[in-house]
Amino acid sequence: DYNRQEARLYLEKSLQLQEALQVSWAIAASLSGLGYLAWTNGDYGSALQRLEKSLAICQNLGDQWQEISVVGMLGWLYLHLGRLEESEQQRHRALNLCQLLGNRSSLAFQMAALVYTLGWQGRFEEGQKWAEKSISASREDGSLGAEGFAELALGSSLLLGGQYTRAYQALIRS
């Protein structure tokens, strides 16, 4: 059984050790994990602080693989906070990194995540195009999880855009 409090304590202890040993990539990973836990517990200030610090470390190290995960989480957090432009910037940063590194499975997830940011901006048609790209990429990659998430994003965008029949079909496929 997953215990958030226990996970937070282990990550904090891990972070202390990593800081003492000056293992930067591990510090970034622990900060990212702590940021995620803070975000999902509703502590948005702490989440933002930890994720932004993790991002700075990743960028300083040139660790673009870990950066994809961090900017992905920041994209969701900024969206949740209503900081839509920043959310979109993080989404495009993640997409660019995925393309640069050839990370196809993450690329499909990041495209689908962009659909939500565009939807909150009322840009449904653009979001639907990204959802279709994500579905295509996930099928090419054979990633059923990414495909399901992309169908869910498409259905959500169609629903918000008032296209109820198409939304229903996409949500059933998800």
Side-chain angles (χ1 to χ4, degrees), residues 20-135:
L21 296 173
Q22 299 178 353
V23 184
S24 297
W25 68 267
I27 293 169
S30 289
L31 286 168
S32 177
L34 286 165
Y36 174 78
L37 285 173
W39 166 39
T40 58
N41 284 328
D43 186 357
Y44 306 124
S46 177
L48 192 57
Q49 177 187 19
R50 290 171 186 231
L51 290 171
E52 287 179 341
K53 187 173 180 182
S54 177
L55 178 59
I57 293 169
C58 290
Q59 290 175 334
N60 187 48
L61 292 172
D63 185 350
Q64 295 175 321
W65 287 95
Q66 191 169 190
E67 187 178 345
I68 292 170
S69 175
V70 177
V71 297
M73 282 187 272
L74 278 169
W76 286 115
L77 181 57
Y78 288 141
L79 177 64
H80 187 82
L81 295 172
R83 294 166 60 174
L84 302 179
E85 288 181 21
E86 290 167 287
S87 177
E88 186 175 356
Q89 289 170 355
Q90 295 303 324
R91 294 285 173 233
H92 285 291
R93 175 70 179 152
L95 288 171
N96 290 337
L97 287 169
C98 288
Q99 290 170 336
L100 177 71
L101 299 172
N103 187 340
R104 294 185 51 80
S105 60
S106 289
L107 178 65
F109 277 106
Q110 295 299 336
M111 282 190 255
L114 176 60
V115 175
Y116 289 96
T117 298
L118 295 171
W120 279 101
Q121 295 174 343
R123 294 160 56 191
F124 305 118
E125 288 182 24
E126 185 179 351
Q128 291 160 23
K129 289 176 184 174
W130 279 104
E132 295 292 347
K133 288 180 184 180
S134 178
I135 292 166

